[in-house]
Amino acid sequence: MLSMPFLTAASLLLPARSSAQILRDPGVYGPPLEVVHLYNDQWPTGIAISRSGRKFSNYPPGLDANNTNDGTNGKYTVAELVGNDTERAYPSVEINNPPGGSVNYSTYPATGANYQDYLIGVQSVVLDPLDRLWILDTGRALTPNSTLVPASYGGPKLICVDLSTDAVVQTIVFPPTVAYADSYLNDVRFDLRAHLTESGQGVAYITDSSTEGRNGIVVVDLGSGESWRHLDGAREVRPDRGFVASVWGAPTYYIPGPGQPLTYLPFGADGIALGADGADLYWTSVGSRTLYSLATERLLDCSLHGELLAQSEIRNRGEKGVSDGLETDSNGFVYAGNMEQNAISFFNPGNASATLFVRDQRINWVDTMATGADGYLYFTVNQLSFSAAFYPGTDRRVRPFVLFRAKLPGNGTRTRLQ
Ligand SMILES: *[C@@H]1O[C@H](CO)[C@@H](O)[C@H](O)[C@H]1NC(C)=O
Ligand SMILES: *[C@@H]1O[C@H](CO)[C@@H](O)[C@H](O)[C@H]1NC(C)=O
Ligand SMILES: *[C@@H]1O[C@H](CO)[C@@H](O)[C@H](O)[C@H]1NC(C)=O
Ligand SMILES: *[C@@H]1O[C@H](CO)[C@@H](O)[C@H](O)[C@H]1NC(C)=O
Ligand SMILES: *[C@@H]1O[C@H](CO)[C@@H](O)[C@H](O)[C@H]1NC(C)=O
Ligand SMILES: *[C@@H]1O[C@H](CO)[C@@H](O)[C@H](O)[C@H]1NC(C)=O
């Protein structure tokens, strides 16, 4: 039996502490956040920052019916940010306005429009190491009642824009065996090193985050335009079963379409980042807290055993919180949103650990990050989980949506794989 501890003279002399002294979570950590841009018009996801500081965003009609171009409403799916609160359609008003709109209502059910020369539903804008802007089109859009239409051939594509002329210089259309009608090509990273392919023009890696389920990684030869899939349906590119993320303390449940029952978060492989030396590709599902990687050598291999080798060599790099986009810097760190903690963390491959980077009450859904050549991490915070697609089904988003930046640690800057 334990005896009662003796009260010492010293403990009797300690002053009583008041309730105001209860230790509390400061809620803020890391370098100060700077507000770069306020989005007061359409709802954004992606961000790209050129070497000269030009800024581009995209506005997916596949996640917000209010972004869908109906042929008359002048909505844009890609814009350049001008000033700190204005956006203008990019690379042109015309390419953002497919004749008749982004949805083809002459089919039943309705489908994504099949134009190769117009933007239908853009989910990412990303710069390559040569500072060319690549636009990733899912070819999909929501109808006014928030039904996500399947893509048609011509819709899912990668479009390259030369920033010095603002002209489209290359278009790579994905065949329906690579981008399925119910694929959702989400995010993309580029490695332009010549030795990677016979064509010598480098490659792109793309996540397929489809909420309908056939998730995977798409690889594109930028010279030949050929593309192929890897890891189709593998557990590591799928959302975890029963996954519930919390944002600002509230658990999130998803509404897949009008009148449909709630589901767990159904988003598969979404965030993607290339390690600084190009040896590893990192990705994460939104419906998971785990960071995975695979040697890029395995993704480039489409030989007889290429898929078996790829699946057998996936690496689990540990938990980093719930993230949408990922990004890398010249330190080799892999930045990941950590939306359950109002934060961004980074994974350091050197110690296999996640580290808190910034934390702030203004952070909720960290959508997309981009490393600037100016040594800052730029990121959009867009309240995605407060939209009508999440329980209770009302739109609780409040404008403005925000582009922030924070100084990278260790003088980090953009990587260059060329
Ligand atoms: C639809 O978008 C416009 C800007 O393009 C915005 O002013 C309006 O609030 C949006 N409506 C909803 C429901 O998001
Ligand atoms: C945007 O720029 C204007 C004019 O320079 C300035 O008054 C305003 O504070 C800026 N807003 C933000 C969010 O930085
Ligand atoms: C719409 O669908 C019809 C029927 O498949 C097709 O002929 C037409 O080219 C499509 N138009 C667009 C813009 O997708
Ligand atoms: C939603 O809109 C689509 C396209 O107009 C239509 O085919 C579908 O029946 C509608 N669904 C519901 C549940 O209203
Ligand atoms: C891992 O490395 C980062 C960057 O050097 C460092 O900040 C962090 O404290 C390290 N984490 C652990 C668990 O050692
Ligand atoms: C960052 O750059 C500054 C100025 O060039 C230098 O003094 C400092 O040592 C660098 N810090 C790191 C961590 O490399």
Side-chain angles (χ1 to χ4, degrees), residues 4 32 48 51 112 132 174 214 249 326 328 344 357 380 390:
M4 289 292 289
R51 293 200 183 277
R132 300 176 298 184
F174 297 104
R214 274 213 278 178
L326 301 177
T328 331
I344 293 176
F357 170 48
T380 54
F390 288 77

Side-chain angles (χ1 to χ4, degrees), residues 31-349:
L33 293 194
E34 297 174 31
V35 174
V36 177
H37 190 89
L38 299 178
Y39 300 89
N40 284 293
D41 192 19
Q42 290 184 225
W43 177 81
T45 59
I47 180 67
I49 311 284
S50 79
R51 293 200 183 277
S52 69
R54 290 175 73 183
K55 301 182 272 297
F56 305 91
S57 278
N58 67 282
Y59 310 80
L63 286 172
D64 184 342
N66 198 21
N67 282 343
T68 301
N69 190 302
D70 68 3
T72 62
N73 61 10
K75 293 292 168 87
Y76 45 85
T77 187
V78 176
E80 179 163 8
L81 313 190
V82 286
N84 59 16
D85 62 358
T86 312
E87 293 121 60
R88 82 175 156 231
Y90 189 83
S92 67
V93 170
E94 196 207 357
I95 196 174
N96 277 277
N97 280 275
S102 1
V103 176
N104 186 350
Y105 287 100
S106 74
T107 62
Y108 187 83
T111 46
N114 61 12
Y115 300 113
Q116 301 188 10
D117 301 337
Y118 291 91
L119 303 176
I120 309 302
V122 173
Q123 187 59 33
S124 282
V125 283
V126 177
L127 290 151
D128 72 12
L130 293 176
D131 226 26
R132 300 176 298 184
L133 185 75
W134 291 86
I135 296 174
L136 181 61
D137 195 342
T138 62
R140 305 184 71 184
L142 293 167
T143 63
N145 68 16
S146 289
T147 299
L148 182 60
V149 300
S152 303
Y153 178 75
K157 56 189 171 287
L158 252 183
I159 287 184
C160 182
V161 178
D162 179 341
L163 294 186
S164 63
T165 57
D166 298 327
V168 172
V169 291
Q170 195 178 349
T171 300
I172 297 172
V173 177
F174 297 104
T177 47
V178 172
Y180 309 128
D182 63 358
S183 281
Y184 199 85
L185 300 181
N186 194 303
D187 205 351
V188 57
R189 289 296 180 274
F190 297 88
D191 185 341
L192 300 185
R193 290 175 299 163
H195 74 267
L196 297 175
T197 58
E198 265 175 44
S199 65
Q201 302 299 304
V203 295
Y205 303 96
I206 300 172
T207 45
D208 183 344
S209 68
S210 171
T211 51
E212 288 96 337
R214 274 213 278 178
N215 307 113
I217 307 281
V218 172
V219 187
V220 190
D221 179 331
L222 298 173
S224 67
E226 274 179 281
S227 54
W228 57 92
R229 291 180 74 96
H230 266 308
L231 310 183
D232 236 28
R235 189 175 48 76
E236 294 87 347
V237 294
R238 300 269 302 128
D240 293 348
R241 199 171 78 81
F243 190 80
V244 179
S246 290
V247 183
W248 285 5
T252 56
Y253 297 91
Y254 190 70
I255 304 170
Q260 291 190 24
L262 300 177
T263 66
Y264 298 108
L265 279 192
F267 306 100
D270 182 315
I272 186 168
L274 263 173
D277 60 4
D280 295 290
L281 184 80
Y282 294 84
W283 73 88
T284 187
S285 292
V286 174
S288 168
R289 293 184 185 83
T290 306
L291 181 67
Y292 294 101
S293 75
L294 179 59
T296 46
E297 186 191 354
R298 296 274 62 87
L299 289 159
L300 296 172
D301 180 355
C302 8
S303 68
L304 181 62
H305 303 105
E307 178 59 13
L308 299 180
L309 288 165
Q311 294 223 10
S312 70
E313 291 182 25
I314 296 172
R315 292 175 70 186
N316 178 327
R317 311 298 288 252
E319 293 207 2
K320 41 70 190 158
V322 182
S323 329
D324 192 312
L326 301 177
E327 181 59 311
T328 331
D329 72 359
S330 52
N331 293 302
F333 298 159
V334 179
Y335 295 83
N338 185 351
M339 59 180 84
E340 291 179 302
Q341 319 284 347
N342 310 339
I344 293 176
S345 24
F346 63 81
F347 172 78
N348 176 5

